Amino acid sequence: INLVATARGLRALDALPPGIRERLLKLGTKVYGRVIHAAGGGDAAFQPYGRDDECNYSVSRRELNMFLLGEAEAAGATIKFGHKVLDVDAPDDAAEPTTLKFETECGAISASRCFGPVVAADGGGSAIRRSVKAFSATEEKLPAGYKEMTFPKDCAASLDDRGLHIWPRGTHFLMGLANRDGSFTGTIYAANEGATDSFDAVEASLETARAWLEANYADALPLLGGAERAARQLVEHPRGFLGTVRTAPWRLGTRVVLVGDAAHAIVPFFGQGMNCGFEDVAALADELATKWPPGGQARPALERALIAYEASRKPNADAIADLALENYVEMMAATADPVFMKRKAVEAAMERDADLGARFRSRYAMVCYGGGRGPGSIGYAAAQRLGVVQWAIVSELADGLE
């Protein structure tokens, strides 16, 4: 799945040396809204994300990882690959170091001893989180999965590269995001199990997969390189896992602190996983800089910084986890519903109105373009609460129109 960078997450990059944000954005393509391809064909419908000057960036996961690793090394970080975390020893004696035990690719055992805080940024399946008994985590698996479905450059030329293309089909959907080379990274989401409309059912054979695609995505098949190629991708590509991780607490005293997916992995349907992680890092760095500045040695000061970091971020991480799950249903089914589409049109008109625009923001815009600490900034938790009120107003106005 391509990653999506939004203004919320990109603000965190402002704390980095000049030029990094600009070079990162060159890796992506601008996306201004959803393009909905309803069942039965017909003209696609465009649903803008926000105002005319607002957009997201679709970025290749591989290219982004390579870029960030290169920037980290250039800044002086030492990166060691092939080290699997086996155990974390955090003694009660504050004078003793935290010890991380590793196994290398060749089977050798090594250890690192840390007197400062260990920042665990090792993803949703965090080995550090699982090695520390104080961390209590729930892992909620979505009963659906996903598969990559590539749209080749020579077949996808007719697709607007400024939109997130969605083929909503009620219980499953296909989406595509543009790449810089003109191809699109597509992803198909469906239930893992079930007699029909599930991966278990359609993976049975190439013939079954082809028939299912022709019945549900006939208009997308030419863009995917034809029914035969699409069916082969559907059968042969590995199935991805979708789930939500919620953790409490996010820290072990002053020894270990979780950031990003290690603390709060979410499903990808709001495009905020990376952005939320970037916000975590910015918030942690800010708390450390103000409460435990360079040269500071006092553990109480460090603990106050980590407590403040968790207190500010966990409610927002819980909120975006819920919002992402809600958006799964919206993208799969609601986006093609005539009532929903009318409400979205009213919402877009209000947001772009010369008078209302300065005072009205859609929930999507609050989530993706909010954030930061300046005037008008808004966290995920506030966006979640305000979004309920906002959508009620939009719905009442839209439902009164003929």
Side-chain angles (χ1 to χ4, degrees), residues 280-293:
D280 284 354
V281 174
L284 178 59
D286 186 59
E287 296 295 351
L288 291 174
T290 56
K291 296 181 174 64
W292 196 61

Side-chain angles (χ1 to χ4, degrees), residues 97-281:
T98 303
T99 302
L100 277 65
K101 185 178 179 181
F102 300 95
E103 181 181 8
T104 66
E105 289 179 333
C106 62
I109 304 299
S110 65
S112 292
R113 294 172 177 81
C114 306
F115 285 93
V118 173
V119 179
D122 54 337
S126 173
I128 293 180
R129 184 189 71 231
R130 290 173 173 173
S131 297
V132 177
K133 292 181 179 179
F135 294 138
S136 175
T138 60
E139 300 180 8
E140 307 158 15
K141 184 178 180 181
L142 201 66
Y146 67 90
K147 291 196 173 198
E148 183 176 309
M149 302 282 286
T150 303
F151 294 79
K153 175 183 177 180
D154 56 347
C155 300
S158 63
L159 287 177
D160 186 347
D161 63 1
R162 299 170 300 169
L164 165 63
H165 292 264
I166 305 175
W167 287 260
R169 297 299 183 260
T171 59
H172 50 91
F173 71 100
L174 171 69
M175 59 169 273
L177 277 167
N179 298 311
R180 289 187 299 163
D181 65 1
S183 67
F184 280 67
T185 295
T187 316
I188 194 162
Y189 298 90
N192 287 315
E193 301 175 351
T196 60
D197 294 334
S198 72
F199 283 130
D200 280 357
V202 302
E203 288 173 352
S205 67
L206 284 173
E207 292 74 19
T208 303
R210 178 170 181 158
W212 186 76
L213 289 167
E214 289 174 338
N216 292 283
Y217 298 103
D219 58 329
L221 290 180
L223 306 169
L224 288 163
E228 190 65 33
R229 185 180 185 278
R232 192 167 297 281
Q233 290 188 80
L234 184 56
V235 171
E236 296 179 355
H237 285 185
R239 198 186 305 181
F241 168 87
L242 296 168
T244 302
V245 174
R246 303 175 195 261
T247 310
W250 284 16
R251 64 182 184 88
L252 175 63
T254 58
R255 291 186 175 276
V256 183
V257 61
L258 306 176
V259 299
D261 284 2
H264 52 73
I266 63 175
V267 293
F269 303 111
F270 228 122
Q272 288 299 297
M274 177 182 72
N275 297 284
C276 187
F278 281 3
E279 274 200 327
D280 284 354
V281 174

Side-chain angles (χ1 to χ4, degrees), residues 63-115:
E63 289 189 30
L64 181 66
N65 282 337
M66 291 173 61
F67 173 80
L68 293 176
L69 288 169
E71 292 295 331
E73 287 186 311
T78 299
I79 299 173
K80 296 182 178 181
F81 294 99
H83 282 62
K84 177 183 178 181
V85 175
L86 297 178
D87 189 35
V88 178
D89 179 34
D92 293 333
D93 186 349
E96 294 294 319
T98 303
T99 302
L100 277 65
K101 185 178 179 181
F102 300 95
E103 181 181 8
T104 66
E105 289 179 333
C106 62
I109 304 299
S110 65
S112 292
R113 294 172 177 81
C114 306
F115 285 93

Side-chain angles (χ1 to χ4, degrees), residues 300-337:
L302 171 58
E303 187 153 23
R304 285 195 295 273
L306 300 184
I307 289 172
Y309 156 71
E310 180 180 352
S312 70
R313 294 302 301 155
K314 180 163 173 54
N316 288 298
D318 288 342
I320 191 57
D322 293 335
L323 289 167
L325 288 167
E326 290 176 20
N327 233 36
Y328 168 57
V329 177
E330 180 175 310
M331 294 176 73
M332 183 166 56
T335 47
D337 176 69

